[in-house]
Amino acid sequence: MKKNRLGKITESGCRHSFLLFEKIISAENIFAAWREFQKGKMRKIDVLEFSDNTEENLFCLIADLKNGTYVHGQYIRFCVHDPKRREIAKALVRDRVIHHAVHRVLGPLFDKSFIFDSFSSRKEKGTHAGVKRLVKFAQKVSQNQTKTVWVLQIDIKKFFDSVDHEILIALLKKKILDEKVVSLLEEIVKSFEFSAGKGIPLGNLTSQLFSNVYLDPLDQFIKRRLGVKYYLRYADDMVMLSRDKILLENYLFEIQRFVSGKLKLQIHPDKIFFRKWYQGVDFLGYVSFPDHAVLRTKTKRRALKKIYKEKIELEKGKITEERLNQVVQSYFVILKHCCGHEIKKEIENIIQIT
């Protein structure tokens, strides 16, 4: 790795400025981060309070960062059920603006080195692209449904709670040589602990980037070292396809050893599944079959429950018809990607659309 007279660094074919910190804390980036952050949140009390003196608050934040006096605040912790219980850690508004500012600059830098088939929290990726890619893989492996396809699904046990801070910081340092940026990232990483030296919060935008950085060595190991051609990942949910079940079992053994040894994580023992494609593959909210896909039963139940609840809120005058329609249309978009005619009828019956 070499540094030229302009302060540019080349690493694994990726060039980036040595003055990343100045980019992150620039007024242009901080104000853009605020605009991104506040979208859809202007009814929140803490966001409204911050917006009362937006310029003053943002320039104070920039000054703290420049002077090296910025300290990440505490979190407000609460639980949600979607449908399983999850603990969310909510940072202060000023800290969440910093998360956006960091993500705006560092996200594209790291994204270039990720494998193509990592689909979580990346532009032009997402759940629908992941499901579509899975089907494309299955069609190739099955040679247009003439061969049996085995699918191995695994995920990490309590991934966000188990991320090791020292490992994460070491991985960040491999790409980031600006010491001020590293210090800022350490401040963000170490602002939260689930247990001693471990854990990143579900509520932080930076956690989405950190999760991909943390699992990228695993992606590279699976693709480059094991040579798994048909592999994709969404967050900590991984899928591999092959016509050879024994080969997938061998991959699983090697992956378990890598995950525990290099990342100090554990493959969830109760979430290791071997399936044949024609039996249906439950992935990212859909169950995919060779000739169609259906909405996962839990997703369907959650959708109907949500719409029924919103309908009641409308009748009580707590929300507008526009709000209800937005929720309904969001589910109709989901149903476009599967055989969802019957579910759509159920939704229409709930909201009494004729």
Side-chain angles (χ1 to χ4, degrees):
M1 184 184 302
K2 295 182 179 180
K3 210 171 30 167
N4 67 20
R5 64 185 179 85
L6 296 177
K8 298 216 172 177
I9 298 162
T10 299
E11 180 180 27
S12 302
C14 180
R15 292 169 64 85
H16 59 88
S17 170
F18 193 57
L19 302 176
L20 286 175
F21 188 70
E22 283 69 20
K23 289 185 178 181
I24 291 172
I25 71 168
S26 69
E28 180 183 5
N29 188 53
I30 295 294
F31 275 80
W34 161 252
R35 289 192 295 271
E36 287 181 3
F37 163 74
Q38 58 85 27
K39 286 181 181 177
K41 300 185 182 72
M42 290 305 291
R43 293 184 179 181
K44 304 290 185 181
I45 294 175
D46 55 348
V47 181
L48 283 171
E49 289 175 350
F50 191 91
S51 68
D52 285 341
N53 296 289
T54 302
E55 289 194 8
E56 181 181 349
N57 288 330
L58 293 180
F59 278 118
C60 284
L61 184 55
I62 292 170
D64 286 345
L65 290 163
K66 281 184 176 179
N67 298 332
T69 56
Y70 169 74
V71 177
H72 198 289
Q74 298 295 311
Y75 290 86
I76 299 171
R77 302 194 185 199
F78 58 94
C79 293
V80 297
H81 296 80
D82 64 341
K84 66 180 180 180
R85 184 179 182 274
R86 295 178 185 273
E87 183 181 86
I88 304 296
K90 179 182 176 182
L92 299 176
V93 171
R94 70 192 306 266
D95 297 318
R96 285 183 281 166
V97 172
I98 290 297
H99 300 164
H100 277 259
V102 167
H103 194 277
R104 281 175 53 81
V105 175
L106 299 189
L109 172 65
F110 279 99
D111 193 79
K112 294 176 183 177
S113 62
F114 296 151
I115 66 169
F116 180 86
D117 290 311
S118 167
F119 286 88
S120 176
S121 306
R122 299 176 67 193
K123 287 185 178 180
E124 299 181 5
K125 300 291 182 177
T127 57
H128 296 144
V131 173
K132 186 176 180 180
R133 185 70 165 170
L134 169 66
V135 173
K136 184 176 181 179
F137 278 172
Q139 292 285 5
K140 284 186 176 181
V141 177
S142 70
Q143 295 183 355
N144 292 322
Q145 303 181 35
T146 62
K147 306 290 184 180
T148 298
V149 178
W150 282 97
V151 180
L152 167 61
Q153 289 184 267
I154 56 178
D155 73 13
I156 306 294
K157 184 176 182 180
K158 296 183 178 179
F159 170 68
F160 279 87
D161 296 342
S162 305
V163 168
D164 184 276
H165 288 179
E166 295 306 317
I167 293 176
L168 174 57
I169 291 168
L171 290 170
L172 292 168
K173 285 181 177 180
K174 284 185 176 182
K175 283 285 181 188
I176 307 299
L177 300 188
D178 188 318
E179 292 182 0
K180 290 183 178 180
V181 177
V182 171
S183 295
L184 176 58
L185 294 176
E186 285 187 289
E187 179 68 24
I188 295 172
V189 170
K190 294 182 178 181
S191 67
F192 175 90
E193 285 186 329
F194 180 79
S195 58
K198 291 182 180 292
I200 54 176
L202 282 171
N204 284 4
L205 177 63
T206 46
S207 294
Q208 298 175 12
L209 175 62
F210 292 162
S211 66
N212 278 332
V213 170
Y214 201 88
L215 291 176
D216 184 61
L218 175 59
D219 293 339
Q220 302 297 339
F221 173 76
I222 291 172
K223 294 292 292 184
R224 316 304 173 200
R225 291 285 298 278
L226 296 183
V228 182
K229 186 175 181 180
Y230 300 106
Y231 161 78
L232 56 89
R233 177 177 65 80
Y234 187 97
D236 63 332
D237 193 353
M238 290 158 275
V239 178
M240 280 153 276
L241 300 87
S242 175
R243 292 201 294 269
D244 187 343
K245 184 184 179 184
I246 294 176
L247 183 61
L248 291 177
E249 290 172 345
N250 291 336
Y251 289 155
L252 174 61
F253 173 78
E254 295 294 339
I255 290 168
Q256 288 175 314
R257 187 164 64 173
F258 182 91
V259 164
S260 61
K262 298 294 185 180
L263 302 179
K264 295 184 180 179
L265 300 172
Q266 182 184 354
I267 299 297
H268 200 305
D270 298 329
K271 295 185 179 179
I272 299 172
F273 302 107
F274 287 93
R275 290 189 181 90
K276 295 176 181 177
W277 185 31
Y278 71 78
Q279 295 173 320
V281 178
D282 189 339
F283 183 59
L284 303 182
Y286 300 93
V287 182
S288 298
F289 295 89
D291 56 355
H292 70 287
V294 297
L295 200 64
R296 178 188 291 162
T297 302
K298 289 182 179 179
T299 306
K300 171 189 171 181
R301 289 173 181 167
R302 188 161 67 249
L304 296 176
K305 183 178 179 181
K306 171 70 172 178
I307 292 170
Y308 182 77
K309 180 180 177 181
E310 293 290 320
K311 181 64 166 38
I312 297 298
E313 294 291 285
L314 175 64
E315 291 173 350
K316 292 180 179 179
K318 293 184 177 181
I319 65 169
T320 63
E321 288 188 13
E322 181 182 4
R323 161 65 182 176
L324 176 61
N325 186 58
Q326 288 174 347
V327 174
V328 170
Q329 293 305 317
S330 69
Y331 282 113
F332 282 175
V333 170
I334 293 173
L335 295 174
K336 286 181 180 179
H337 298 269
C338 65
C339 297
H341 303 296
E342 294 301 318
I343 303 174
K344 187 175 181 180
K345 287 181 180 178
E346 291 186 57
I347 292 174
E348 291 173 343
N349 287 335
I350 291 174
I351 60 175
Q352 294 181 343
I353 294 177
T354 58

